[in-house]
């Protein structure tokens, strides 16, 4: 029981980190970025290259991964999303195609075999009869710190308030002197950085492979649909619901059921409450 | 040179012309009103000053052309805009709405907040309330307050009385007049409510189908039979 409780808590923290970058972009820019999970893949592979191929310190690997994720997010906005602005279907198709292209690029550079990422923090922690790897514990603690920081940033800083403002009323933000284009660029950068960091943790929890972007994308979509697009707190709560559901179903029923209840939850929420359980379409 | 000069301004929505060769001069410290029916182009005119529409011609504030400036820079030059539909941020508190208004004027937040709360004490009482839950009059106050947080030298107010109870209109008129008298702020309002406009404005411009049909001091135009017939229904 304790094992389920602890594993559920830890996995949920990671899921929240995976989903929050996705919800940021939709809330501010009204764009479903289906290439979002490729930030995770790129982040994981960059970390692998810097730390395990080049032998550099783990913190350097993380910083490089986050910076590349930011850069990738901003480039994607400038080169693809901005020119297609207003055409949501075109953006969704383009981002999905881009994810496949990035996957092909990863295969070209690193081949298609799965790779094991060394734990970010090796070792285990025994608590109340349960065993927890320090790797997933680190991932969760960092996730919580980042989500707390992001919540503070969005609520308490001028740029964060401007992000909320753009998500709620673009003209209102413009007449306040907010440059919506710049705010979108910043949001895409933050989202890319968060995605890349989530990718490092996710890959260290599972493994690196060129198709590793599919599962995080489903998690992100599920958390966002069930939690309600735009709600950071909703994202956090639903990440926990999904995290616990996965741990309970795979531990107590069958490992093959991983993801099944998540899908059923998406369908159920879409039927009962299409805006999500906590949702609105604005950031907050 | 006037404080604000609108020179041969035309505005377009795609190929449709919404304004035709508008010329308006506003002296510093004046309140002017642009009156006209729905669809006359009043909101388009104010939107054009903020570069929110496609335009030809020139708009100058203290001789500096605003026409090619990005919108954020125009606000930074001292143009505050309270829009017709308020365009508030409904899930943000009143105070956070006001703070977004200070995005380009961060050095004067405290003094502007104090001015806004002095002008609209009700906003201070409701500063933690989400703006989406406010009444129409209170939303208008937030909209005006948010525009004042930009530290404007020129305040644009689009149809401040639309949809508001007569009592609230009186309060809004009093607040705008007080603002003008106490701070010398130059104000341009648009209105369909001619009674409201004549109560606070020194000059009137009558806009019809995108063209200025008449202009003059309030005294001149309120004695003009044509205007009285068209707008006062007498």
């Amino acid at each position: 029981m304790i094992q389920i409780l602890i594993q559920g808590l830890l996995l949920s923290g990671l899921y929240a980190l995976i989903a929050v970058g996705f919800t940021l972009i939709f809330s501010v820019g009204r764009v479903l970025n289906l290439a979002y999970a490729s930030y995770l893949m790129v982040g994981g592979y960059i970390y692998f290259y810097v730390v395990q191929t080049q032998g550099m310190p783990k913190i350097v690997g993380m910083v490089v991964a986050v910076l590349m994720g930011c850069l990738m997010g901003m480039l994607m906005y400038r080169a693809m999303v901005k020119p297609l602005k207003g055409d949501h279907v075109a953006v969704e198709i383009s981002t999905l195609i881009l994810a496949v292209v990035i996957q092909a690029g990863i295969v070209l550079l690193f081949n298609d075999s799965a790779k094991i990422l060394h734990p970010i923090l090796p070792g285990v922690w025994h608590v109340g009869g349960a065993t927890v790897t320090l790797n997933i514990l680190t991932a969760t603690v960092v996730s919580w710190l980042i989500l707390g920081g992001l919540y503070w940033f969005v609520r308490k800083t001028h740029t964060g308030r401007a992000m909320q403002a753009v998500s709620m009323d673009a003209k209102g933000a413009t007449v306040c002197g907010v440059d919506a284009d710049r705010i979108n660029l910043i949001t895409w950068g933050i989202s890319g950085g968060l995605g890349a960091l989530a990718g490092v943790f996710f890959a260290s929890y599972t493994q690196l492979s060129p198709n590793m972007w599919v599962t995080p994308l489903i998690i992100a979509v599920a958390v966002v649909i069930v939690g309600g697009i735009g709600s950071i707190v909703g994202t956090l709560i639903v990440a926990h619901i999904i995290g616990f559901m996965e741990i309970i179903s795979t531990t107590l029923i069958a490992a093959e059921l991983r993801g099944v209840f998540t899908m059923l939850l998406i369908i159920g929420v879409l039927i009962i409450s299409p805006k999500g359980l906590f949702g609105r379409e604005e950031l907050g | 040179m006037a404080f604000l000069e609108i020179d041969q301004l035309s505005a377009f929505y795609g190929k449709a012309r919404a304004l035709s060769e508008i010329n308006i001069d506003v002296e510093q410290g004046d309140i002017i009103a642009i009156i006209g029916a729905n669809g006359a182009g009043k909101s388009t005119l104010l939107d054009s000053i903020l570069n929110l529409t496609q335009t030809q011609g020139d708009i100058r504030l203290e001789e500096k052309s605003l026409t090619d400036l990005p919108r954020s820079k125009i606000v930074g030059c001292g143009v505050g805009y309270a829009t017709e539909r308020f365009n508030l941020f409904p899930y943000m508190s009143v105070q956070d709405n006001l703070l977004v208004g200070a995005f380009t004027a961060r050095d004067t937040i405290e003094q502007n907040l104090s001015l806004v709360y002095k002008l609209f004490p009700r906003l201070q009482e409701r500063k933690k309330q989400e703006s989406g839950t406010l009444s129409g009059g209170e939303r208008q106050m937030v909209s005006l307050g948010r525009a004042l947080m930009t530290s404007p030298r020129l305040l644009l107010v689009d149809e401040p009385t639309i949809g508001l109870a007569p009592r609230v209109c009186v309060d809004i008129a009093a607040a705008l007049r007080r603002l003008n008298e106490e701070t010398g702020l130059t104000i341009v309002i648009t209105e369909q409510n001619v009674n409201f406009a004549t109560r606070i404005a020194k000059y009137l411009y009558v806009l019809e189908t995108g063209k200025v049909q008449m202009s003059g001091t309030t005294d001149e135009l309120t004695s003009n039979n044509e205007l009285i017939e068209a707008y006062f229904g007498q």
Side-chain angles (χ1 to χ4, degrees):
Chain A
M1 187 62 191
I2 296 228
Q3 184 78 27
I4 288 176
L5 196 68
I6 292 172
Q7 289 291 352
L9 262 177
L10 298 179
L11 187 64
S12 305
L14 181 59
Y15 281 8
L17 184 62
I18 288 171
V20 76
F22 188 71
T23 201
L24 267 184
I25 287 185
F26 188 86
S27 305
V28 176
R30 291 288 185 271
V31 168
L32 269 182
N33 175 18
L34 297 179
Y36 172 73
S38 59
Y39 301 149
L40 278 86
M41 182 169 59
V42 169
Y45 273 95
I46 286 174
Y47 178 85
F48 171 79
Y49 177 76
V50 171
V51 176
Q52 287 179 223
T53 308
Q54 299 301 311
M56 297 178 83
K58 288 171 182 170
I59 187 71
V60 175
M62 273 192 206
V63 170
V64 174
V66 169
L67 290 178
M68 288 303 287
C70 284
L71 190 65
M72 191 175 153
M74 291 194 282
L75 272 175
M76 208 183 281
Y77 174 72
R78 272 280 184 264
M80 205 167 75
V81 178
K82 198 180 165 196
L84 291 172
K85 203 165 188 178
D87 191 340
H88 292 249
V89 176
V91 169
E92 284 155 25
I93 292 171
S94 306
T95 52
L96 186 60
I97 291 170
L98 184 68
V100 176
V101 170
I102 290 171
Q103 179 181 357
I106 291 287
V107 172
L108 194 69
L109 290 172
F110 294 95
N111 74 49
D112 60 357
S113 62
K115 292 174 173 51
I116 302 298
L117 218 57
H118 299 158
I120 290 160
L121 205 61
V124 291
W125 183 40
H126 300 284
V127 53
T131 304
V132 176
T133 64
L134 292 181
N135 188 48
I136 185 75
L137 183 64
T138 311
T140 305
V141 170
V142 171
S143 295
W144 275 88
L145 289 175
I146 284 172
L147 289 169
L150 187 66
Y151 188 77
W152 175 85
F153 174 77
V154 166
R155 296 261 167 172
K156 299 290 177 196
T157 66
H158 284 286
T159 305
R161 275 192 290 263
M163 285 164 69
Q164 290 186 69
V166 170
S167 81
M168 292 181 203
D169 194 309
K171 183 174 179 183
T174 301
V175 301
C176 293
V178 174
D179 182 345
D181 179 47
R182 190 165 165 270
I183 291 297
N184 267 302
L185 184 69
I186 291 170
T187 307
W188 277 76
I190 292 173
S191 172
L194 287 173
L197 186 63
V200 174
F201 287 123
F202 184 71
S204 73
Y205 176 68
T206 56
Q207 61 181 13
L208 268 178
S209 76
N211 59 5
M212 65 173 274
W213 59 279
V214 179
T215 305
L217 183 62
I218 293 170
I219 293 167
V221 170
V223 169
V224 163
I225 286 177
V226 178
I229 289 160
S231 166
I232 292 176
V233 175
T235 299
L236 198 58
I237 293 171
V238 176
H240 281 75
I241 293 173
I242 291 175
F244 273 101
M245 249 173 35
E246 283 220 355
I247 290 290
I248 290 168
S249 61
T250 53
T251 311
L252 299 183
I253 307 173
E256 291 76 16
L257 290 179
R258 179 181 291 275
V260 170
F261 286 98
T262 305
M263 304 284 188
L264 292 176
L265 186 66
I266 293 177
I267 295 168
V269 169
L270 280 175
I271 292 169
I272 297 163
S273 174
K275 276 201 163 185
L277 298 182
F278 306 92
R280 55 193 199 213
E281 291 189 347
E282 296 80 12
L283 185 61
Chain B
M1 287 288 174
F3 179 67
L4 172 72
E5 296 167 278
I6 297 176
D7 186 9
Q8 291 290 304
L9 180 76
S10 296
F12 305 87
Y13 292 109
K15 287 180 182 172
R17 183 186 285 257
L19 294 176
S20 287
E21 297 170 355
I22 302 281
N23 293 296
I24 292 176
D25 283 350
V26 183
E27 295 299 334
Q28 189 158 22
D30 280 352
I31 301 182
I32 75 146
I34 293 151
I35 58 177
N38 258 341
K42 302 185 298 297
S43 300
T44 305
L45 177 58
L46 297 193
D47 279 359
S48 300
I49 298 174
L50 257 285
N51 210 355
L52 293 165
T53 51
Q54 189 193 337
T55 59
Q56 282 175 359
D58 201 12
I59 299 167
R60 293 180 293 274
L61 185 71
E62 288 193 312
E63 299 183 41
K64 182 176 184 180
S65 176
L66 303 180
T67 321
D68 296 323
L69 287 182
R71 292 153 191 168
S72 54
K73 289 269 189 292
I74 297 174
V75 175
C77 282
V79 181
Y81 186 10
T83 58
E84 180 192 340
R85 295 175 193 279
F86 311 138
N87 297 101
L88 301 183
F89 314 120
Y91 298 108
M92 291 170 78
S93 67
V94 166
Q95 176 130 327
D96 279 348
N97 267 269
L98 297 176
L99 289 175
V100 176
F103 192 74
T104 58
R106 299 178 195 181
D107 297 338
T108 48
I109 289 178
E110 289 308 318
Q111 100 195 41
N112 287 339
L113 259 184
S114 131
L115 170 73
V116 171
Y117 287 147
K118 199 172 126 196
L119 210 54
F120 305 114
R122 204 180 307 174
L123 295 188
Q124 186 156 27
E125 291 162 21
R126 308 206 165 186
K127 66 180 181 183
K128 290 186 177 166
Q129 193 172 326
E130 283 190 354
S131 70
T133 63
L134 299 174
S135 69
E138 289 164 343
R139 284 184 214 190
Q140 181 61 270
M141 290 173 199
V142 178
S143 174
L144 285 167
R146 195 180 64 180
L148 291 173
M149 291 298 294
T150 64
S151 283
R153 292 181 296 142
L154 169 68
L155 177 65
L156 311 174
V157 188
D158 196 6
E159 304 229 24
T161 66
I162 198 161
L164 300 186
R167 177 65 198 261
V168 181
C169 296
V170 172
D171 290 347
I172 298 289
L176 290 173
R177 235 191 335 251
R178 188 173 153 201
L179 195 60
N180 173 257
E181 284 164 7
E182 289 181 8
T183 67
L185 183 63
T186 310
I187 301 175
V188 176
I189 66 164
T190 66
E191 257 307 334
Q192 288 186 57
N193 179 343
V194 180
N195 280 318
F196 178 88
T198 54
R199 209 180 301 146
I200 67 166
K202 189 172 174 187
Y203 292 97
L204 298 178
Y205 286 81
V206 180
L207 208 59
E208 279 179 16
T209 58
K211 291 178 185 164
V212 174
Q213 295 294 354
M214 269 184 269
S215 63
T217 65
T218 303
D219 290 341
E220 282 165 8
L221 290 195
T222 48
S223 56
N224 180 312
N225 288 335
E226 205 181 323
L227 184 86
I228 290 169
E229 206 171 294
Y231 288 95
F232 291 87
Q234 290 167 13

